[in-house]
Amino acid sequence: MRVVAGSAKSLKLKTIEGMETRPTQDRIKETLFNMIQYDIPGSTFLDLFSGSGGIGIEALSRGAKEAYFVEKAKPALRCIRENLRYTKLDDKAQVMAVDVVTAIRQLEAKKVTFDYIFMDPPYNKGFEDDVLAVLNDSTICTPDTVVIVESSLETEISDFEELKVSRVKKYKTNKHTFLRKTQED
């Protein structure tokens, strides 16, 4: 796994041993960031279920002003911190060693909002809808926020009262679902 573009381009990132995490393949990461590349510079980025931190690091490398990494597994946290130091992007990063819902509540209390919220939870465990239900009512997610869910092809992502699916990009083994909050009239 490597950084595809930006200030840390071509640097190899460490990954976690075993099957607990599945780092997003470079080819899929490149496709994702090609879709959102013009809005990344200066953005605030939230990487939920961060794993080794590859997606948030890619956002920082491409010019995001700040990225938050949420992960509770200790080996993954060590990996994220090592990758941030190695890429020299740690000064723009906040690493939160808590579960996703706790992190969202802590960020709400700090009145932080995000331009992008990316999540790549363990596949086929139902975490997607659980987290999206929390984000639907959360102040960290505004009508300008793009929520991106990486999931298995079989996972159905539901519309919520405010969060609606706006686009789905399918790959051979997984997909990215893009959601936005509806604007009130």
Side-chain angles (χ1 to χ4, degrees):
M1 188 173 76
R2 64 182 176 85
V3 180
V4 176
S7 65
K9 182 179 180 176
S10 299
L11 293 180
K12 287 187 76 104
L13 299 177
K14 291 184 178 187
T15 57
I16 301 141
E17 294 291 324
M19 295 302 292
E20 301 292 304
T21 60
R22 313 160 283 32
T24 301
Q25 296 173 4
D26 290 347
R27 164 178 59 74
I28 292 173
K29 183 168 41 175
E30 184 171 18
T31 300
L32 170 65
F33 277 92
N34 284 344
M35 289 189 278
I36 62 176
Q37 66 185 337
Y38 299 111
D39 298 318
I40 290 295
S43 67
T44 54
F45 198 94
L46 177 59
D47 187 352
L48 301 173
F49 304 95
S50 295
S52 58
I55 296 292
I57 288 170
E58 187 72 34
L60 288 173
S61 180
R62 290 174 181 249
K65 71 177 177 191
E66 188 172 32
Y68 287 74
F69 297 80
V70 178
E71 179 60 61
K72 67 178 185 178
K74 286 184 169 77
L77 287 163
R78 276 191 302 278
C79 191
I80 293 166
R81 290 183 176 112
E82 287 175 22
N83 284 333
L84 285 166
R85 276 192 299 276
Y86 177 65
T87 57
K88 297 179 176 43
L89 294 168
D90 47 341
D91 60 326
K92 297 178 181 179
Q94 301 284 329
V95 179
M96 302 177 72
V98 294
D99 68 84
V100 168
V101 174
T102 299
I104 292 168
R105 298 298 179 227
Q106 289 175 356
L107 292 164
E108 287 171 343
K110 293 179 181 179
K111 303 204 180 317
V112 179
T113 60
F114 293 93
D115 298 299
Y116 286 92
I117 299 173
F118 178 85
M119 72 165 144
D120 182 9
Y123 285 3
N124 304 316
K125 304 262 191 222
F127 292 126
E128 297 87 356
D129 278 353
D130 294 345
V131 176
L132 289 170
V134 174
L135 288 174
N136 183 71
D137 299 323
S138 177
T139 57
I140 71 167
C141 187
T142 73
D144 295 322
T145 304
V146 177
V147 178
I148 304 166
V149 181
E150 185 168 315
S151 66
S152 69
L153 290 170
E154 301 79 35
T155 301
E156 291 296 322
I157 303 294
S158 305
D159 278 337
F160 289 83
E161 188 175 323
E162 293 182 29
L163 265 180
K164 305 287 185 195
V165 174
S166 62
R167 181 179 186 180
V168 178
K169 173 66 176 161
K170 292 184 179 182
Y171 308 96
K172 287 182 182 175
T173 59
N174 60 358
K175 65 183 174 180
H176 286 131
T177 303
F178 296 75
L179 300 99
R180 295 199 78 141
K181 272 197 174 181
T182 53
Q183 299 238 333
E184 293 181 22
D185 296 331

